Amino acid sequence: MKQLFVDVAIIGGGPAGLASALAARAEGAEKVLIIERNHELGGILLQCIHHGFGLHRFKAELSGPEYAQRFIDQVKETDIEVLLNTMVLEVTSDRKLYAVNSEQGLMEISAKAIILAMGCRERTRGALQIPGTRPAGIYSAGAAQRFVNIDGYMPGKRAVILGSGDIGLIMARRFTLEGAKVEAVVEVMPYAAGLARNVVQCLEDFDIPLILKSTVTAIHGKDRLEAVTISEVDDKWNPIPGTERTIECDTLLLSVGLVPENELSREAGVKLDPVTNGAYIDDRMMTSIPGIFACGNVLHVHDLVDNVSKESERAGMYAARYALGKLDAPEKKVKVVAGRNIRYVVPQEISLDEPVEFFMRVQAPEEDVTLNVGGIRSKKENSVRPSEMLSIKLTPEQLQSFEGDTFVIEVLSNKEDEVSA
Amino acid sequence: MSGKSKLTVDVAIIGGGIIGTATARELSKYQLKVVVIEKEAEVGWGTTKANSGIVHAGFHEEPGTLKAKYCFPGNQMFPKLCEELDVCFEQNGILMVARNEEEWETVQKYYERGKERGVPLELLSGEEARALEPELSEDIVGALHAPEGGSVMPFELAAALMENAIYNGVELLTNSPVIGARVENGKKIVETPFNIVEADVVINAAGLFTDEIARMFGDDYFTIKPRKGEEYLFDLDTKNMVKRTIFPVPSKVSKGILVIPTAEGNLMMGPTGDNIDQKDDLATTRDGFQRILEGARSLVPGINPRKIIAQFAGVRAASDRGDFIVEHSPNVPGLIHLAGMESPGLTAAPAIAVDAVRLVEEAGMKLVPKEDFQPRRENIVRFRSLSREEQDRLVKENPAYGRIICRCEQVTEGEIIDAIRRGARTLDGIKFRARAGAGRCQGGFCQPIVMAIIARELNIPLEQVTKRGPGSEQVLFKAKELLAGGITQ
């Protein structure tokens, strides 16, 4: 078995892997290796041919492949090594990786630091337990996106989309532009799951109905999908009898959430956060296993790739420092706690002596609020939504004023009646 | 009729389910010309596919029934059969648990019943049962432990039996529903859309459709009463939550809702047992799910429905007799019925197949053993279960084993190509045989790649690649084709 020794090994060559590799190399790690399962770098961005990437980072509206290419070009200018068509089979807690490809066979890679950047996968019909038959014609929105944008095939011509996640919204527009009819986007929540701009640009601009507080309650068809039944749901997401209606269609796309792909992390023994399904990390982007770092959608699901790049650069920098023996263990550990109307916060632990950028999501939409960050900073927001990630940066100087063991981040209402209540 | 090819055989088996394939393999030991006629694109796709996969121990069945006659002997045949055919078989044992004193009395009755048949069994206290299975409910007061019960992948077994039968000379016709059957000059004529098969003996192993096949021959004396069962499959990370299959005390109509560690390691819960009108009603239901969850949690309270990755339903081909039908037709000489197969049909199949050979002989066929019968199937490479060194060696011999296609189950391109070589023709066929797409993402990532491999290996366009046979094509149009057709929205 072939043996390799590197400073920083990065699992995944998507946006997180690319940005972290560049940052690790820039920080001084000499042997940086990206391991990518696909035949080219770029990750899921390669099939995201729509525009809207890079507004924050590059002040330009790029397509997914264009955004990825800017990083790929930079990687090519460095001596960062890339293994393509290579699958990591196992990660161990003492930072060994086992990987395989056709040319080299099995490889044992010993790394001083590892960055987990495997991305996420889509939730499936099985996870939702949609009753009914099991015909052809039911795809995750991402699989359909690949069929159309990479392989050049249309799954069908009359679609219903369950879930208003961003990929579902994007695919509603994509199907329409390809000449298919999108009958409806059906969402169980009382609001869209995707970005507001995607609701406008992908549904409203094309007169595609968004049916809220409803879900697919039956699937019909023996060999190929023939129709779906949708029903309204109550506050607990239970279908309301008598509200059923059937929509004929040959295709059902599922855009019902993304799950970080942490099977390798779990087997290595990395502690996972049950809310994010990603690793539990500190302010150095390090997981519960020393020397193993995580960033991007494998850490928590992002809505903007710009944020992935930013977060991953920090992971790359700290991983390099760790590999070089320049990352001291923190003197103090303070737990970060999600308070009122906060679903999760990353990182989950801080040391108060590193700059930190908190990424967080709210539980429910709310207007006119103040984000209270550990009692040492606050920020007013006109409106917060679960689909739009919030972030706030704090410097070590700002953090020095914090005292206590738990750092609570919460959303406070600015409406007077609720303040008094 | 003129365009159809004519095939003359000694024995025609209608149906490539577990009964038909086991019988085909058993008959392939003799110098006979045998054909299996299957309506689906691959074998094992009817009732067999959705079977729970339990190799029953043989203590359940009512004395005097054919179920009792074949179950325990069938169980005893599994270890050797699965070893010869390189099929995953886990002899993980069975626990029938009692949740109160009344059920405990019933459990003891099954203990006595099994003991009389020679089934290895032991009675356990609640504590002893929980020592074996810590996730069992605190309510359980005692259990019957059958260490020789097991778990097998039913579709894998059917595919393996068929592959071995074909190796030993049996012919297989797929996509061949029987559309007519009759007797002409003592010969049985079976017609499909493509073939006319003339046989001395016909074995009716058509599962749910055995009554309809019998009627085509003018033989109308039993009826199939379809009974649906839903199953819910969990993520592979539930492996080892429960090691043995957990049964409640059975009701009058079924063995109840079980918690099943499948041979591949995933946990499964089910099945329901609901009488239905339509033989092709394979829909899962909200009500079925709730009943199953409640039943499974009464045995193993820690079951987490959020870990479910797939659900499916199958229909049992129960007969109006409430028992197996393994006999000569009373009306049509040379017609043998292997019908009414419900639980424990899978376990009984190898024993029924042996008896079917006896019936074939009684029907007038001379049985001459083949000297060159090959009982073994060429071993299947399962990349994931090899050591790192074995994986390395394999990839150097054949680079296709170095390309992981299904990331969830770590299935390589080499395994997919091998499955196609052995008879897989569809996405479901690849999933059942090689497990690509059977994991937690349910093919979300690998489906397009598996489709491309099928298209390449079978030399067909991607639009002709199906989920499970004609009518279930996966992609219906080329990009821009809908626009070229002038469709505007």
Side-chain angles (χ1 to χ4, degrees):
Chain A
M1 200 177 347
K2 188 171 171 178
Q3 300 226 329
L4 295 170
F5 297 87
V6 300
D7 292 323
V8 181
I10 295 146
I11 309 175
L18 291 166
S20 64
L22 286 166
R25 186 70 192 91
E27 190 68 14
E30 287 190 3
K31 286 197 71 138
V32 176
L33 171 67
I34 301 175
I35 307 166
E36 167 56 43
R37 56 193 158 206
N38 198 4
H39 60 87
E40 56 186 329
L41 293 170
I44 209 70
L45 285 176
L46 299 178
Q47 69 182 51
C48 301
I49 62 171
H50 52 282
H51 279 248
F53 300 89
L55 287 169
H56 298 266
R57 188 175 182 101
F58 297 116
K59 310 286 176 237
E61 199 169 7
L62 307 175
S63 70
E66 284 172 332
Y67 186 94
Q69 197 61 44
R70 294 204 176 189
F71 288 85
I72 295 169
D73 287 344
Q74 288 180 61
V75 166
K76 282 185 178 155
E77 284 168 19
T78 68
D79 56 2
I80 293 170
E81 287 177 56
V82 178
L83 280 171
L84 297 173
N85 297 306
T86 306
M87 184 71 89
V88 174
L89 302 173
E90 186 185 350
V91 177
T92 69
S93 57
D94 58 350
R95 298 189 307 279
K96 278 195 173 60
L97 294 97
Y98 293 91
V100 65
N101 67 31
S102 288
E103 285 75 39
Q104 283 128 307
L106 259 285
M107 285 168 274
E108 185 186 86
I109 302 164
S110 304
K112 291 179 185 159
I114 291 173
I115 300 175
L116 306 171
M118 294 90 80
C120 58
R121 64 168 178 269
E122 296 175 277
R123 285 184 72 207
T124 64
R125 174 185 174 187
L128 300 179
Q129 292 148 40
I130 307 170
T133 53
R134 295 171 62 80
I138 304 169
Y139 310 94
S140 70
Q145 188 177 46
R146 186 199 148 114
F147 276 132
V148 184
N149 293 347
I150 304 272
D151 301 322
Y153 290 90
M154 276 293 284
K157 63 177 179 184
R158 198 168 172 188
V160 169
I161 300 177
L162 175 61
S164 56
D166 286 310
I167 315 171
L169 300 177
I170 295 288
M171 286 314 293
R173 177 173 66 186
R174 190 79 189 92
F175 262 46
T176 307
L177 293 174
E178 277 289 333
K181 168 86 174 148
V182 177
E183 297 289 345
V185 174
V186 182
E187 169 59 50
V188 74
M189 300 298 284
Y191 45 83
L195 295 172
R197 74 172 196 221
N198 282 335
V199 175
V200 174
Q201 293 171 11
C202 299
L203 300 188
E204 290 172 13
D205 287 358
F206 294 90
D207 293 327
I208 298 169
L210 172 62
I211 304 176
L212 297 172
K213 293 180 80 171
S214 297
T215 192
V216 172
T217 47
I219 285 167
H220 310 279
K222 186 168 174 281
D223 294 321
R224 178 80 195 191
L225 181 67
E226 288 164 13
V228 297
T229 299
I230 67 169
S231 305
E232 292 171 25
V233 298
D234 63 21
D235 293 341
K236 289 176 179 161
W237 300 359
N238 291 313
I240 302 170
T243 62
E244 299 85 1
R245 65 179 164 124
T246 298
I247 305 177
E248 282 183 31
C249 56
D250 60 18
T251 304
L252 173 66
L253 301 188
L254 303 178
S255 178
V256 289
L258 300 168
V259 187
E261 278 223 301
N262 272 300
E263 281 63 39
L264 290 172
S265 332
R266 192 177 290 120
E267 282 174 30
V270 169
K271 183 179 168 191
L272 300 181
D273 180 329
V275 181
T276 59
N277 287 307
Y280 186 99
I281 59 158
D282 65 12
D283 51 0
R284 298 131 193 257
M285 311 298 292
M286 192 155 86
T287 68
S288 61
I289 300 182
I292 299 186
F293 298 77
C295 56
N297 280 352
V298 78
L299 178 60
H300 61 127
V301 175
H302 296 64
D303 31 62
L304 295 177
V305 71
D306 309 64
N307 285 333
V308 169
S309 301
K310 205 161 58 168
E311 172 183 283
S312 304
E313 283 166 345
R314 288 166 46 78
M317 178 184 80
Y318 286 116
R321 287 189 196 170
Y322 186 92
L324 298 169
K326 290 183 187 164
L327 191 65
D328 297 330
E331 283 174 24
K332 197 170 171 186
K333 285 182 177 179
V334 174
K335 243 187 148 79
V336 180
V337 172
R340 183 189 172 279
N341 198 18
I342 294 283
R343 197 160 79 82
Y344 74 78
V345 186
V346 171
Q348 291 87 344
E349 198 175 275
I350 53 173
S351 64
L352 306 176
D353 54 15
E354 291 287 334
V356 63
E357 180 161 20
F358 292 107
F359 288 107
M360 63 216 108
R361 283 185 195 275
V362 297
Q363 274 168 335
E366 197 173 353
E367 311 276 312
D368 192 14
V369 294
T370 298
L371 191 63
N372 174 24
V373 186
I376 57 171
R377 242 201 100 182
S378 62
K379 188 179 170 189
K380 280 201 172 184
E381 299 276 356
N382 290 332
S383 118
V384 290
R385 292 155 51 89
S387 59
E388 282 159 30
M389 198 160 73
L390 301 170
S391 73
I392 194 158
K393 269 189 200 169
L394 293 181
T395 63
E397 293 70 37
Q398 288 170 315
L399 288 163
Q400 283 316 308
S401 63
F402 177 80
E403 284 177 14
D405 298 325
T406 52
F407 191 94
V408 179
I409 299 185
E410 58 190 350
V411 174
L412 300 175
S413 174
N414 296 337
K415 293 177 183 165
E416 280 179 22
D417 51 336
E418 287 188 36
V419 172
S420 59
Chain B
M1 286 228 320
S2 56
K4 297 185 182 182
S5 60
K6 198 173 168 192
L7 192 64
T8 304
V9 297
D10 297 316
V11 183
I13 300 170
I14 302 174
I18 193 66
I19 300 293
T21 55
T23 303
R25 196 254 186 178
E26 206 55 41
L27 282 172
S28 74
K29 295 175 177 172
Y30 302 94
Q31 293 178 27
L32 294 170
K33 192 164 162 50
V34 180
V35 65
V36 174
I37 303 167
E38 168 54 49
K39 73 178 167 59
E40 301 291 339
E42 298 180 37
V43 297
W45 274 16
T47 301
T48 302
K49 176 181 75 170
N51 187 289
S52 299
I54 298 159
V55 178
H56 292 281
F59 60 79
H60 270 103
E61 296 67 32
E62 201 71 45
T65 60
L66 290 183
K67 290 179 182 175
K69 177 183 173 186
Y70 294 117
C71 184
F72 180 53
N75 167 292
Q76 297 294 297
M77 294 167 77
F78 265 79
K80 177 165 176 258
L81 184 67
C82 293
E83 195 272 326
E84 285 178 344
L85 298 175
D86 191 23
V87 167
C88 286
F89 171 59
E90 291 291 332
Q91 207 161 43
N92 55 328
I94 283 170
L95 281 179
M96 182 197 275
V97 299
R99 287 163 290 196
N100 52 48
E101 284 306 317
E102 193 187 332
E103 290 190 348
W104 178 237
E105 279 176 30
T106 314
V107 163
Q108 286 169 303
K109 202 183 79 193
Y110 282 102
Y111 173 77
E112 295 303 331
R113 179 182 280 184
K115 274 290 173 195
E116 276 172 34
R117 281 172 208 160
V119 180
L121 291 171
E122 57 176 338
L123 286 170
L124 305 176
S125 68
E127 288 70 41
E128 287 168 331
R130 275 183 294 277
L132 288 181
E133 296 292 352
E135 294 283 335
L136 276 185
S137 163
E138 287 295 324
D139 297 341
I140 284 159
V141 297
L144 174 59
H145 179 215
E148 292 191 359
S151 228
V152 72
M153 296 312 257
F155 40 79
E156 187 193 13
L157 180 58
L161 286 161
M162 194 66 236
E163 188 185 328
N164 184 244
I166 290 170
Y167 185 90
N168 286 300
V170 173
E171 191 170 344
L172 169 66
L173 305 176
T174 53
N175 292 315
S176 299
V178 172
I179 52 174
R182 60 190 181 276
V183 182
E184 267 177 24
N185 307 322
K187 298 274 187 191
K188 265 61 66 188
I189 310 294
V190 178
E191 197 176 333
T192 76
F194 311 106
N195 293 88
I196 293 174
V197 179
E198 187 187 293
D200 291 312
V201 173
V202 166
I203 295 178
N204 176 15
L208 282 165
F209 307 95
T210 42
D211 54 348
E212 293 170 42
I213 296 289
R215 268 177 236 132
M216 283 185 192
F217 277 107
D219 192 20
D220 188 0
Y221 73 105
F222 65 87
T223 305
I224 296 303
K225 302 275 188 196
R227 203 167 73 243
K228 185 160 82 174
E230 300 179 23
E231 303 267 17
Y232 293 79
L233 189 75
F234 292 84
D235 191 294
L236 198 57
D237 70 10
T238 55
K239 191 172 184 165
N240 296 331
M241 182 180 181
V242 172
K243 291 182 201 69
R244 294 158 190 82
T245 299
I246 315 294
F247 284 73
V249 167
S251 69
K252 280 215 167 60
V253 293
S254 86
K255 294 189 169 93
I257 305 294
L258 324 176
V259 177
I260 307 158
T262 64
E264 298 279 6
N266 306 68
L267 207 62
M268 192 162 79
M269 63 176 182
T272 46
D274 299 324
N275 293 317
I276 50 169
D277 302 325
Q278 299 291 327
K279 289 176 176 177
D280 63 353
D281 174 5
L282 291 172
T284 53
T285 62
R286 201 176 157 80
D287 170 64
F289 167 70
Q290 278 159 351
R291 280 184 285 144
I292 288 175
L293 183 62
E294 193 185 328
R297 279 185 161 169
S298 76
L299 308 174
V300 180
I303 281 196
N304 178 4
R306 294 173 61 102
K307 292 276 180 189
I308 292 171
I309 60 167
Q311 65 276 86
F312 54 91
V315 182
R316 303 169 183 87
S319 75
D320 52 0
R321 270 188 218 175
D323 196 7
F324 299 159
I325 298 171
V326 180
E327 63 196 27
H328 295 289
S329 157
N331 307 309
V332 183
L335 177 62
I336 294 165
H337 299 302
L338 307 180
M341 294 300 156
E342 55 181 316
S343 179
L346 171 67
T347 312
I352 291 172
V354 171
D355 229 19
V357 173
R358 177 184 59 83
L359 294 172
V360 167
E361 190 174 27
E362 284 176 6
M365 301 307 297
K366 201 164 149 26
L367 297 183
V368 182
K370 275 180 198 158
E371 279 171 19
D372 58 351
F373 172 73
Q374 170 54 266
R376 307 194 72 84
R377 182 170 73 135
E378 187 191 335
N379 280 5
I380 299 245
V381 170
R382 295 179 183 86
F383 180 84
R384 186 179 198 155
S385 58
L386 300 177
S387 72
R388 299 285 176 233
E389 288 71 26
E390 288 168 328
Q391 289 175 338
D392 192 39
R393 220 173 303 132
L394 181 66
V395 176
K396 300 219 162 111
E397 280 166 24
N398 182 349
Y401 287 98
R403 280 188 287 276
I404 307 271
I405 303 298
C406 167
R407 59 175 81 160
C408 301
E409 300 284 321
Q410 289 189 359
V411 181
T412 63
E413 184 175 11
E415 289 160 274
I416 293 168
I417 294 170
D418 185 55
I420 295 168
R421 186 176 64 82
R422 292 170 189 261
R425 292 290 175 272
T426 62
L427 274 176
D428 275 0
I430 298 287
K431 180 168 83 176
F432 295 151
R433 289 166 188 258
R435 289 189 67 73
R440 49 182 70 91
C441 92
Q442 288 286 294
F445 286 113
C446 70
Q447 203 177 66
I449 309 170
V450 174
M451 285 170 62
I453 296 171
I454 295 174
R456 184 191 72 204
E457 294 294 313
L458 299 180
N459 197 20
I460 56 173
L462 205 72
E463 297 103 305
Q464 284 177 23
V465 177
T466 65
K467 178 168 160 53
R468 56 160 172 265
S472 64
E473 287 75 17
Q474 286 280 107
V475 288
L476 302 182
F477 309 97
K478 287 202 167 68
K480 305 289 176 283
E481 199 176 325
L482 291 170
L483 296 172
I487 298 169
T488 51
Q489 301 297 337

